[in-house]
Amino acid sequence: MEVKDLQEELTCSICLDYFRDPVSIECGHNFCRSCLHRSRVPGSGPFPCPECRHPSAPTALRPNWALARLTEKTQRRRQGPVPPGLCGRHWEPLRLFCEDDQRPVCLVCRESQEHQTHAMAPIDEAVESYRKGNLDIHMDEWKRRPVRLLWYHFNQEEKLLQSQCNLGDKMKTLLELQEIEAKIATRWKDKIKSQRMRISTEFSKLHNFLVEEEDLFIQRLSKEEEETKTKLNENRLKLNQTISSLKKLIVEVGEKRQAPTLELLQNPKDVLTRSEIQDVNYSLEAPKVKTVCQIPLMKEMLKRFQVAVNLAEDTAHPKLVFSQEGRYVKNVASASSWPAFSAAWNFVAGWRNPQKTAHVEKFQHLPCVLGKNVFTSGKHYWEIERRDGLDVAVGVCREDVMGITDHSKMSPDVGIWAIYWSVAGCWPLTGFPGSPIQPEPTAHRVGVYLDRGTGNVSFYSAVDGVHLHTFSCSSVSRLRPFFWLSPLASLVIPPVTDGK
C-alpha cells in the first residue's frame, strides 16, 4: 500500500500520469505545467484550482523541484521489466479492455485523456467473448453492450480464423520451398565435390605430364652430354696422337742432325718431307648446350603476372624519341655520329668526373631510359619487342644508375641486371664477354619476369617460353625496368593481354 500511495502522490490529477515539470499554485496543489496551461482559460487573470477551485494568480506558479526529483527517482526504479498483468505505464493491474485501441488497460488509463472517449469492457468478459463467440451471448448482454461491439467481435473472430488459414497455407508453401531449397543445396554440394575432384584429377594429370616432360628433357640433355663427351674424347685423342707423332718426329730429326756425316747424308729427304707435311692445324670448338629449357605452358603462366610498363621520358637520353603513349622508343643518333655526340654532350654537361653520379636524374651519356614502374614486392612480367634487328639491352636496374658513362660496364656490379640482344642472339650482361644463349630468329620478343619474393629476375623467349637467363637481385629494395638502345635501334612494349 505504501508504494501505491506514493504513486498517487506523484500522479497529476489532470493527466493521471507521473508529474512532468511539476509546479505548485497558491492553494498548495501540484500539477504538470503543461496540463495546467491546457486546463485554464487563456488570459492574465486568476484561474481556479482544478481540484479545490481556489483562485490562483498565473504569476504564483512555482516549480516544485523536490517533487520532480522524487518522481524521477520513482520512475527510474520502475525502468526494469514490467511484471505480467501490470500496466507498463502505471504499474497497475490490467482490468479493462479498450475496444477502440484493442488492448488491455488499467483503471488509471481509463481516466486519462487518451481513453476518456473510448469504449471499455471488463477484461474477463472480453476474453470470454472471444472464446465462446457472439452467437451464444444472452439477451441481457445485448442490452448491456452496444450491438456495434458484438458485431465487431464476430468480425474479428472471422478475421482471425481466416488469418489462421492463410498462415497455414503460407507455412505449407514455405515448407515446400524449404524442401526444394534443401534439394538445391544438396545438388550444389554434389557439384562442388565433383568439381573439386575434377580439378584435382586434371592437375594430377598435369603434374604427371610435367614430370614426364622433365624426364624427357633430362634424357635429351643426358644424350647430348654423352655425345658431346664422346666428341671431346675423340678430339682429345686425335690431338694426343698428333702431339705424340710430332714428338717422335722431333726426336728423329734431332737424332738425324747429330748423326755422323756419312749417316746424315743417307736419305735425309724422307725426314724433311715428313716434317713438312706434319699437320698441326687443329680447330678449337667450344661445345654448346643444344637442349633448351622449354617448360610447357610457361608462356600462359607468365602472363598471369603481366603488368603495363611505360617508359619514363624524364629519365631518357636526349637522342631517344618516344611515341605510342610511352610504349615505343627509338635512338635517332646514327652509329657514325654517336661517339662525337656523346663526347660533346659529356663536355657540355660537365661530366668529366665519373664519380659524381649520385644525384643524376636522367641518362646523359648512354642511350638508356627507365620504366615508370617501381617494383618493391610481388611478381611482375612484361614483354619487349625489337622492331629493326639492331642491338638493345633490356632488364631491371637500381634507380641510381643514370650516371653510368660506359656501356661495357653495364652489369650487376653497377646495379643493372639485363640481357644483351643482337642479331647473334641473347646473352647476359655480366661485365665480361659471353656467348649467345638463344640464337635468332626465335627471340624476336623477350619477356622479363621479376619475382621480388625470391629476389630473381628471369628472361624468357616470349614466343615459345624458352628460358634464357636468371639473375639474383635480392639485395635491392627498389627496381625499375631498364632499356638500352644502340644507334638507330628501336623497341616497343606490347600492350597487356589477358593471360588468366
Side-chain angles (χ1 to χ4, degrees):
M1 292 297 294
E2 294 181 359
V3 175
K4 187 173 181 179
D5 294 340
L6 178 61
Q7 181 179 348
E8 293 178 357
E9 294 297 329
L10 301 178
T11 301
C12 174
S13 60
I14 299 177
C15 65
L16 300 180
D17 203 349
Y18 282 109
F19 283 116
R20 295 184 181 90
D21 190 13
V23 293
S24 299
I25 59 179
E26 292 183 4
C27 63
H29 290 115
N30 300 290
F31 304 94
C32 298
R33 184 185 295 274
S34 58
C35 294
L36 197 60
H37 282 301
R38 286 196 301 268
S39 63
R40 70 186 182 89
V41 178
S44 58
F47 62 91
C49 172
E51 286 193 18
C52 66
R53 315 307 296 175
H54 186 277
S56 180
T59 57
L61 272 64
R62 297 290 182 268
N64 194 334
W65 303 114
L67 186 61
R69 286 194 296 272
L70 182 60
T71 303
E72 182 181 355
K73 290 180 180 180
T74 304
Q75 286 182 312
R76 194 181 301 122
R77 292 194 187 100
R78 292 192 172 185
Q79 287 180 353
V82 180
L86 295 184
C87 175
R89 189 172 182 180
H90 304 103
W91 286 55
E92 291 290 334
L94 299 171
R95 302 185 183 279
L96 301 174
F97 185 78
C98 179
E99 299 292 346
D100 295 74
D101 291 346
Q102 286 292 294
R103 63 185 180 91
V105 295
C106 67
L107 296 177
V108 180
C109 291
R110 181 187 62 181
E111 301 300 327
S112 64
Q113 294 179 355
E114 181 182 359
H115 296 279
Q116 283 182 355
T117 59
H118 292 178
M120 298 285 175
I123 196 165
D124 54 347
E125 292 184 10
V127 173
E128 194 68 22
S129 175
Y130 275 102
R131 287 180 177 175
K132 291 183 177 182
N134 297 280
L135 297 179
D136 297 334
I137 300 179
H138 298 289
M139 211 57 192
D140 56 350
E141 189 173 356
W142 285 84
K143 297 178 180 179
R144 286 188 291 109
R145 302 181 64 184
V147 176
R148 176 184 61 82
L149 181 60
L150 296 177
W151 280 108
Y152 179 79
H153 285 172
F154 179 77
N155 292 335
Q156 285 296 98
E157 184 178 8
E158 289 295 326
K159 290 180 180 179
L160 290 175
L161 180 60
Q162 184 64 35
S163 177
Q164 186 178 8
C165 294
N166 293 338
L167 290 176
D169 294 339
K170 291 180 180 179
M171 177 60 71
K172 183 179 179 180
T173 302
L174 289 177
L175 291 176
E176 293 176 355
L177 291 175
Q178 186 182 34
E179 185 178 357
I180 296 174
E181 184 72 19
K183 292 180 179 179
I184 293 175
T186 302
R187 287 196 295 268
W188 173 78
K189 290 180 180 179
D190 293 339
K191 290 180 180 179
I192 289 292
K193 182 179 179 180
S194 176
Q195 187 68 3
R196 183 178 289 108
M197 293 179 61
R198 186 180 296 111
I199 292 174
S200 179
T201 301
E202 293 302 315
F203 270 90
S204 178
K205 292 179 182 178
L206 180 60
H207 294 164
N208 295 334
F209 171 73
L210 291 176
V211 170
E212 293 174 358
E213 286 294 307
E214 180 184 4
D215 294 339
L216 181 60
F217 275 101
I218 294 298
Q219 292 175 9
R220 291 177 184 173
L221 186 61
S222 300
K223 182 179 179 181
E224 179 184 348
E225 182 183 12
E226 293 300 326
E227 293 176 352
T228 305
K229 282 183 178 180
T230 301
K231 186 175 181 181
L232 290 176
N233 290 334
E234 291 175 355
N235 293 340
R236 189 181 302 108
L237 179 60
K238 182 179 179 181
L239 184 60
N240 290 336
Q241 290 175 351
T242 303
I243 293 175
S244 177
S245 175
L246 185 59
K247 285 182 178 179
K248 291 180 180 180
L249 188 56
I250 291 174
V251 172
E252 186 176 353
V253 170
E255 293 178 349
K256 192 69 173 177
R257 186 174 59 83
Q258 296 178 0
T261 303
L262 184 60
E263 185 177 350
L264 177 63
L265 296 176
Q266 292 179 359
N267 197 17
K269 187 177 180 180
D270 177 59
V271 177
L272 295 175
T273 301
R274 285 188 287 119
S275 300
E276 291 176 359
I277 64 174
Q278 178 66 45
D279 184 16
V280 295
N281 293 328
Y282 182 82
S283 59
L284 293 173
E285 182 180 355
K288 299 180 180 179
V289 179
K290 300 178 182 179
T291 303
V292 297
C293 180
Q294 184 176 4
I295 301 176
L297 304 178
M298 178 56 74
K299 291 192 302 179
E300 291 75 9
M301 290 188 290
L302 289 174
K303 286 185 178 294
R304 291 173 56 86
F305 307 102
Q306 192 169 13
V307 295
V309 171
N310 292 89
L311 302 170
E313 300 182 26
D314 56 338
T315 66
H317 188 275
K319 282 295 181 179
L320 299 183
V321 295
F322 301 86
S323 64
Q324 300 183 21
E325 298 180 350
R327 294 189 295 106
Y328 175 87
V329 59
K330 181 179 179 65
N331 185 356
V332 296
S334 63
S336 59
S337 64
W338 178 256
F341 173 81
S342 179
W345 179 262
N346 294 348
F347 181 79
V348 173
W351 288 97
R352 296 184 178 181
N353 186 357
Q355 280 77 26
K356 298 180 181 179
T357 61
H359 301 288
V360 179
E361 295 182 355
K362 64 188 303 181
F363 289 98
Q364 301 183 15
H365 306 284
L366 298 182
C368 301
V369 63
L370 301 183
K372 293 182 179 179
N373 312 64
V374 178
F375 301 118
T376 59
S377 62
K379 300 176 181 179
H380 314 277
Y381 174 76
W382 63 97
E383 295 180 353
I384 305 96
E385 184 176 331
R386 190 179 56 173
R387 286 295 177 86
D388 45 28
L390 298 178
D391 298 358
V392 298
V394 296
V396 296
C397 68
R398 298 197 310 255
E399 295 183 287
D400 58 350
V401 301
M402 288 177 279
I404 187 172
T405 60
D406 187 357
H407 73 275
S408 64
K409 300 294 179 61
M410 295 188 303
S411 67
D413 295 336
V414 297
I416 298 176
W417 296 266
I419 60 171
Y420 191 86
W421 193 1
S422 71
V423 293
C426 302
W427 59 85
L429 292 177
T430 56
F432 54 87
S435 58
I437 54 180
Q438 177 67 25
E440 286 287 315
T442 303
H444 70 272
R445 182 184 286 193
V446 167
V448 183
Y449 174 60
L450 177 62
D451 187 350
R452 295 313 316 264
T454 60
N456 294 331
V457 55
S458 301
F459 299 87
Y460 296 87
S461 168
V463 178
D464 50 19
V466 173
H467 176 260
L468 304 177
H469 189 73
T470 295
F471 287 104
S472 176
C473 50
S474 58
S475 60
V476 183
S477 60
R478 295 167 60 90
L479 290 172
R480 296 179 67 174
F482 170 81
F483 309 90
W484 173 89
L485 296 89
S486 63
L488 300 180
S490 63
L491 58 83
V492 64
I493 303 173
V496 174
T497 57
D498 187 7
K500 297 184 180 181

